[in-house]
C-alpha cells in the first residue's frame, strides 16, 4: 500500500462538478492499493500518515505530525500509484488490487482514519475526480507499508 502525501494549505476533490471533500491545512493523501495489501498494512500506513513529522515547529523545522497540528486529512484513491513503469512507454497495472479488494481496503483505511483522527475527508473510490491543492512548501513524500 502506498500513499503519496502532500502537505497542503488547502485541498479539495470534486466529482461531477460537486465538491465532496475539502480541507484546509493538512495532508492530501493519494492512496494506491496493491494485490497483496492487507488491513494490517492499511493500519501501518495510517499510523505513518498521522505521525510523519513534516509540519513545522516554532523553530521552523519539520518536526510535527498531522495529529499534533490537528490538520485535515483528505484521502483519495489513485490506482495509478501502483503502476509498473520500469519498461516501455505504457504503464502496467498487474500489481494493483482488484476493484473490489481495492475498495474494501480503501474503505477500511477511511474507517480507521475517522476513528483515530478528527478531520477526515475523502474522494469517491473509482470515480473520475478532480483534485485541487495548494502544496505547502512544496512538501511531498511517498510512504509505503
Amino acid at each position: 500500500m502506498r500513499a503519496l502525501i502532500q502537505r497542503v494549505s488547502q485541498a479539495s476533490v470534486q466529482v461531477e462538478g460537486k465538491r465532496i471533500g475539502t480541507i484546509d491545512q493538512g495532508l492530501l493523501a493519494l492512496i494506491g492499493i496493491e494485490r497483496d495489501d492487507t488491513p494490517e498494512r492499511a493500519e501501518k500506513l495510517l499510523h505513518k500518515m498521522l505521525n510523519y513529522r513534516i509540519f513545522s515547529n516554532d523553530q521552523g523545522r519539520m518536526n510535527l505530525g498531522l495529529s499534533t497540528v490537528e490538520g485535515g486529512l483528505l484521502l483519495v484513491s489513485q490506482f495509478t500509484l501502483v503502476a509498473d513503469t520500469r519498461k516501455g512507454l505504457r504503464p502496467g497495472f498487474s500489481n494493483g488490487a482488484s476493484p473490489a479488494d481495492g475498495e474494501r481496503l480503501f474503505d477500511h483505511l477511511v474507517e480507521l482514519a475517522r476513528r483515530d483522527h478528527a478531520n477526515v475527508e475523502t474522494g469517491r473510490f473509482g470515480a473520475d475526480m478532480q483534485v485541487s491543492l495548494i502544496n505547502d512548501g512544496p512538501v511531498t513524500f511517498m510512504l509505503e507499508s
Side-chain angles (χ1 to χ4, degrees):
M1 188 171 276
R2 297 179 186 175
L4 180 71
I5 60 170
Q6 299 177 78
R7 187 178 75 184
V8 298
S9 55
Q10 180 181 8
S12 64
V13 61
Q14 292 185 24
V15 174
E16 298 176 357
K18 295 182 182 175
R19 186 175 290 174
I20 63 169
T22 187
I23 62 168
D24 290 319
Q25 178 195 22
L27 289 181
L28 167 62
L30 304 174
I31 307 297
I33 301 171
E34 296 178 293
R35 266 188 292 158
D36 59 349
D37 283 334
T38 63
E40 292 77 24
R41 285 188 179 170
E43 291 174 29
K44 183 177 178 183
L45 186 63
L46 178 63
H47 177 77
K48 279 181 141 180
M49 285 189 288
L50 295 179
N51 297 289
Y52 212 64
R53 298 179 345 185
I54 63 172
F55 292 90
S56 298
N57 63 16
D58 292 339
Q59 291 78 39
R61 296 179 187 238
M62 287 195 294
N63 202 27
L64 303 175
L66 182 66
S67 291
T68 305
V69 300
E70 298 178 348
L73 176 61
L74 178 56
L75 298 169
V76 177
S77 62
Q78 186 174 343
F79 77 95
T80 59
L81 282 181
V82 300
D84 183 355
T85 60
R86 292 175 289 182
K87 294 182 185 175
L89 300 175
R90 184 178 187 132
F93 297 103
S94 61
N95 291 333
S98 70
D101 288 342
E103 185 170 17
R104 181 179 47 80
L105 278 172
F106 183 75
D107 288 347
H108 179 69
L109 178 67
V110 170
E111 181 182 313
L112 293 172
R114 288 188 169 144
R115 179 195 72 193
D116 294 347
H117 193 70
N119 184 5
V120 178
E121 298 282 329
T122 70
R124 184 176 302 146
F125 188 90
D128 181 19
M129 296 176 274
Q130 289 71 52
V131 179
S132 301
L133 70 139
I134 300 174
N135 191 317
D136 180 21
V139 173
T140 303
F141 292 95
M142 178 68 78
L143 301 180
E144 297 184 59
S145 65

